[in-house]
Amino acid sequence: MELIPLLLLAPLLVFVAFFDMRLMRIPNWISLAGLAIFVLTMPLLPGSEIVARLMMAAIVFVLGIGAFMMRWFGGGDIKILSVLFLFIPSGTLSLYGLGFSASMLAGIALILTLRTIPWPANTEWVSLRETGTFPMGISIALSGIIHPYVVQAFG
């Protein structure tokens, strides 16, 4: 029951990966839509779980602001990651860390592989043109999408 809201978020996570790959930007409407889904699904969760998730999201947001200021993360990455933490059950945080780590490796491998292909110089996919950058939205989205499966396999 705790993972149902995350399943409802999955289509938005696909948009996160797409926009970050194509534009190296995550539109604000995706984060706002994620917040709306969380608010609508709050009645499915116990009060203590809602408080725990809000606290986790706030901690991620505050730490993310510091990472953004040091130019380690983009602003859209921080916003969507904070929203995603509203959907991660507090009892599965260690499993989320496992899935996020695997997603980071997969995202890096994907981007490095795609960048070896000789794309036209004017490709509209910004993440394939720019070097020295990484569209973190790919890994954030993948980590949220696979989380229910990671919980099923290892939980």
Side-chain angles (χ1 to χ4, degrees):
M1 185 68 124
E2 290 183 314
L3 292 170
I4 289 173
L6 182 57
L7 296 173
L8 297 173
L9 184 69
L12 288 177
L13 294 175
V14 172
F15 282 117
V16 167
F18 172 78
F19 280 107
D20 212 20
M21 275 284 297
R22 178 141 184 178
L23 305 172
M24 291 290 293
R25 296 183 58 85
I26 300 171
N28 287 334
W29 69 264
I30 298 175
S31 297
L32 292 172
L35 283 173
I37 291 170
F38 179 72
V39 168
L40 291 173
T41 59
M42 280 175 39
L44 299 174
L45 304 171
S48 60
E49 182 65 18
I50 293 170
V51 171
R53 291 183 189 195
L54 288 170
M55 289 181 61
M56 289 185 308
I59 290 167
V60 167
F61 188 75
V62 168
L63 293 174
I65 297 273
F68 173 75
M69 291 172 63
M70 298 180 82
R71 301 201 183 270
W72 293 345
F73 283 85
D77 299 328
I78 300 308
K79 288 182 274 187
I80 200 62
L81 189 59
S82 299
V83 168
L84 178 58
F85 266 79
L86 294 171
F87 293 85
I88 304 299
S90 59
T92 66
L93 281 177
S94 60
L95 291 174
Y96 178 76
L98 175 69
F100 186 73
S101 298
S103 297
M104 284 295 296
L105 290 172
I108 291 168
L110 173 68
I111 289 299
L112 290 177
T113 301
L114 289 175
R115 285 183 180 165
T116 63
I117 298 170
W119 300 98
N122 62 348
T123 182
E124 293 181 9
W125 293 78
V126 178
S127 66
L128 302 178
R129 280 195 323 245
E130 293 184 8
T131 58
T133 61
F134 175 65
M136 183 70 77
I138 296 169
S139 299
I140 294 169
L142 183 59
S143 69
I145 291 169
I146 68 167
H147 188 65
Y149 304 102
V150 172
V151 169
Q152 181 99 23
F154 299 103

